[in-house]
Amino acid sequence: MLVRLIAVLFACLLAVPALAQSGSTPDRAAIEKIVREYLLQHPEIIIEAMNELRRRQEMAAAEMAQQAIAAHREELFNDPATPAGGNPRGDVTIVEFFDYHCGYCKQVQEPLLRLLAEDRNLRIVFRELPIIADESRTASAGALAAAKQGKYVEFHNVLMAARGRLTRDRVLALAREQKLDVAKLEKDMDSPEIQRSIDRNLELAAMLGVDGTPAFIVGNQVVPGALSLEQLRELVAEARRK
């Protein structure tokens, strides 16, 4: 159908110089009428054109993401200041961008934990991306502060399991329940180092075209959304094949 539309437009364009040579003035309104009537008779062409535009946009976004991954691969996958879990020497690494106030991030938490439990050769890098609520940055800062006490993964799981707003008081209360040094945690939460880490994650996400959570990097591709266990398994298997 799209080919037919192009053919109609091309025929109209060819008619313009022909009319000019015959001494007639090209009738723009007549040409627009032909195109309009054709589109009204074949409205499916508009849907086809929109789908093609979407496909091209997705391809362009994927290419941009792959370029960004290549340019920042070492930082994305192996930054020693970024918390990681699973097997430190795993043959496949998943990078997750998430927000503790994101319902979809909480939804994908169980499949991720199951995958890590069943695949002992898998590593995961945790990228805090606080973009949903005002308190999101507070929760992220609390998790990164827990990393300074060697308890990032444990506190990350607690925050993911929590429901409702993670205000500063609630983050500190949860930290107290986990036997963390709350005074140190609160001080570290406000440190320039942790704030810079969060800002850098926001910058990396922008370069990758990540504007929502959760989003994953596996191999050389960015995959958004709350993936199922089977989808996660397939991404890991694909990365291993490559």
Side-chain angles (χ1 to χ4, degrees), residues 26-232:
D27 189 342
R28 179 187 178 95
I31 294 173
E32 289 178 349
K33 182 180 179 182
I34 293 171
V35 174
R36 181 177 182 277
E37 288 178 352
Y38 187 84
L39 289 175
L40 289 174
Q41 292 172 12
H42 304 282
E44 67 276 8
I45 290 177
I46 298 174
I47 298 174
E48 184 179 346
M50 290 176 64
N51 289 338
E52 176 63 16
L53 175 61
R54 187 179 300 111
R55 185 186 70 83
R56 294 186 184 186
Q57 289 174 333
E58 289 173 352
M59 287 179 60
E63 184 177 351
M64 181 195 76
Q66 289 176 2
Q67 291 173 353
I69 291 171
H72 303 281
R73 175 168 290 278
E74 188 62 23
E75 180 181 8
L76 284 166
F77 287 87
N78 299 310
D79 177 16
T82 302
N87 185 348
R89 298 183 180 179
D91 64 341
V92 171
T93 295
I94 295 175
V95 179
E96 181 189 12
F97 285 89
F98 59 89
D99 184 311
Y100 290 113
H101 288 97
C102 168
Y104 293 111
C105 299
K106 294 179 184 294
Q107 179 181 322
V108 80
Q109 176 73 352
E110 183 181 353
L112 271 175
L113 291 176
R114 287 183 61 187
L115 184 66
L116 288 167
E118 72 181 36
D119 190 335
R120 298 296 183 176
N121 207 20
L122 190 62
R123 176 172 170 265
I124 182 167
V125 172
F126 301 97
R127 289 278 174 187
E128 308 276 343
L129 192 64
I131 58 175
I132 291 180
D134 292 339
E135 298 91 344
S136 292
R137 191 175 182 104
T138 298
S140 289
L144 292 174
K148 290 185 171 295
Q149 299 183 39
K151 292 188 176 181
Y152 176 86
V153 173
E154 295 87 344
F155 200 46
H156 167 81
N157 292 338
V158 167
L159 293 175
M160 274 297 177
R163 294 296 181 264
R165 294 287 180 176
L166 289 165
T167 62
R168 189 179 185 91
D169 287 345
R170 189 169 182 212
V171 168
L172 296 178
L174 290 170
R176 193 172 290 109
E177 291 175 7
Q178 297 302 308
K179 310 301 181 184
L180 288 160
D181 183 335
V182 176
K184 175 175 170 51
L185 186 96
E186 190 166 17
K187 181 179 179 180
D188 288 336
M189 284 172 67
D190 298 325
S191 70
E193 177 189 353
I194 282 181
Q195 297 305 316
R196 282 195 300 269
S197 293
I198 294 173
D199 288 338
R200 183 54 180 165
N201 283 344
L202 293 167
E203 291 171 358
L204 288 169
M207 286 186 276
L208 292 162
V210 171
D211 57 5
T213 54
F216 301 90
I217 303 175
V218 187
N220 66 346
Q221 62 179 323
V222 175
V223 185
L227 306 178
S228 67
L229 178 60
E230 190 55 41
Q231 288 173 315
L232 289 166

